[in-house]
Amino acid sequence: MTAPKDRCRLVLIVPAHDDTDHQAKTLEDALRGGDVASVIIPQYGLDDAAFQKLAETLVPIVQEAGAAALVAGDSRTASRVKADGLHVMGGADALSEAVESFSPKLIVGGGNADDRHKALEQGESNPDYMFFGKLEGDIKPEAHPKNMALGEWWASMIEIPVIIMGGSDVASVIPVAETGVEFVALRLGVFSHAGGPAQAVAEANALLDEKAPRFGG
């Protein structure tokens, strides 16, 4: 991830769309809106060739904005497009294998953990971050309470940074930040925002600047 601030920071998840030019434009707009630590690019239903083409378009946009570009699921694509990191979709074994193969050359993180035991198993490989929630888990305005509880528990006792999946409402960043985690992820809250992605990112950062607890203070 990019250099930390003294508060919870924003992670963006690119939504599925059948038009790469549209995805590129909306991502550029979002990144113009303010501070973004990283962007996760999921494969969704694309075949490997189409996904590589998408990543080739989006990764430079993310990097030029000063954020870390994380490819979800496909390590070969992550390497070929010179992404900054790999978001692992599998469980503890897949995460451990990815850390061993690609760290520290790439940022490696993941999180298919829906309970404490699975989370601790995944944490044994010492990934760069843990993700609580699903990449398409923003089905309600607020973040899922279970993910927030897991993130708060993890952040209180383990140094590996945490991303919690937020809700479809930008305002969900504040309850997530209040758990003490380092990052909050938004997808629909940014890319389906009525005022556009740039406004959404600006609003999220303004809320975090005003209300998020500060680290180390």
Side-chain angles (χ1 to χ4, degrees), residues 40-54:
I40 298 174
I41 305 169
Q43 186 163 355
Y44 296 113
L46 296 176
D47 62 38
D48 289 348
F51 183 47
Q52 182 170 323
K53 213 166 183 180
L54 174 66

Side-chain angles (χ1 to χ4, degrees), residues 78-79 82-86 99 101-108 128:
S79 297
K82 296 180 170 57
D84 300 290
L86 174 66
V99 169
S101 299
F102 300 107
S103 182
K105 183 180 178 183
L106 295 179
I107 297 165
V108 179
D128 293 296

Side-chain angles (χ1 to χ4, degrees), residues 63-98:
Q63 294 171 336
E64 285 165 18
L70 310 179
V71 166
D74 189 341
S75 59
R76 289 170 299 179
T77 294
S79 297
R80 287 170 183 160
V81 303
K82 296 180 170 57
D84 300 290
L86 174 66
H87 180 84
V88 179
M89 305 295 288
D93 290 344
L95 187 55
S96 177
E97 184 179 327

